[in-house]
Amino acid sequence: YLESLEWDGTPRIDHWTSDYLGLRRSEYASVSGRYTLIGMVSRIYQPGGILRSMPILEGAQYRGKSTALKILGSPWFSDTALDLSNKDAYQLIQGIWAYEISEMDTFSRTESSRMKGFISSPSDRFRAPYGREPADWPRQTAFFGTINPHGEYFKDPTGNTRYWPWACEQAEPIALEALAEQRDQLFAE
């Protein structure tokens, strides 16, 4: 998919979070949005590369947060609930480029700490079904969280640097059609 893209020369990645997700324009929105797209592409070309941060799309229910993520990662998108205490979680993310972890505020402090370690891991070690031995599986997945307004997902008193909050629809409504139209150009750039 990425190899087939050709950039038209129009810069978009510095303001895509504002233009399509409705974040207020700021250096934070620009840099975190740029790093997210670059991180996604990097994970494909260099599986297992470092990708420590997870954007959290904050906003009202039924406004398009999950749909925007699906547009960004399709057809390699999933939002199946992950049970991090089960080895199947490692298998569920294989072949997925954009993985949505919804309702971040429902995690307990322990689950939140486990999630931070899980999302920043460069590879997974597990025995695949019918496999004889465990193997290392370099990550190609980028994680995204979603949360409704006023949810509390910052539960670590030592810091929450792995989470990048994106307040969707602060400036404009989420623009799903425009995101779908420009998605290829975002990744081409």
Side-chain angles (χ1 to χ4, degrees):
Y1 163 72
L2 292 173
E3 291 294 321
S4 73
L5 301 177
E6 187 173 326
W7 185 38
D8 64 7
T10 302
R12 293 176 182 86
I13 65 171
D14 283 336
H15 300 292
W16 78 274
T17 56
S18 301
D19 293 345
Y20 309 122
L21 300 179
L23 275 68
R24 194 168 282 129
R25 283 203 179 201
S26 67
E27 185 176 355
Y28 168 76
S30 176
V31 171
S32 63
R34 181 180 339 115
Y35 285 172
T36 295
L37 294 178
I38 291 171
M40 288 179 73
V41 171
S42 176
R43 274 272 168 113
I44 297 303
Y45 285 107
Q46 299 173 348
I50 299 297
L51 190 57
R52 294 179 175 220
S53 300
M54 178 170 80
I56 310 290
L57 282 69
E58 301 174 346
Q61 255 184 325
Y62 306 115
R63 301 297 299 193
K65 300 182 304 287
S66 296
T67 304
L69 294 176
K70 189 172 188 173
I71 289 168
L72 203 60
S74 282
W76 310 278
F77 169 83
S78 184
D79 59 359
T80 304
L82 289 175
D83 177 0
L84 299 184
S85 63
N86 187 324
K87 73 176 179 90
D88 290 344
Y90 302 109
Q91 295 174 30
L92 288 173
I93 65 171
Q94 301 306 309
I96 301 300
W97 192 20
Y99 206 104
E100 177 189 356
I101 299 169
S102 60
E103 308 306 328
M104 294 288 298
D105 57 342
T106 62
F107 292 151
S108 68
R109 181 177 286 186
T110 301
E111 290 169 325
S112 183
S113 293
R114 187 179 295 150
M115 178 60 66
K116 287 191 334 183
F118 181 79
I119 64 168
S120 62
S121 180
S123 67
D124 301 304
R125 184 165 182 77
F126 63 90
R127 185 179 60 79
Y130 307 106
R132 299 183 136 235
E133 301 291 328
D136 290 321
W137 301 78
R139 287 254 178 103
Q140 291 188 292
T141 307
F143 294 96
F144 295 84
T146 54
I147 189 169
N148 296 326
H150 313 298
E152 180 57 46
Y153 57 93
F154 291 129
K155 297 182 177 167
D156 185 350
T158 63
N160 292 285
T161 58
R162 286 191 176 92
Y163 297 145
W164 288 346
W166 288 353
C168 296
E169 297 193 306
Q170 245 183 351
E172 297 287 332
I174 294 174
L176 297 175
E177 287 183 27
L179 177 60
E181 288 172 12
Q182 298 302 318
R183 173 203 183 218
D184 289 352
Q185 286 301 311
L186 290 170
F187 287 118
E189 184 179 348

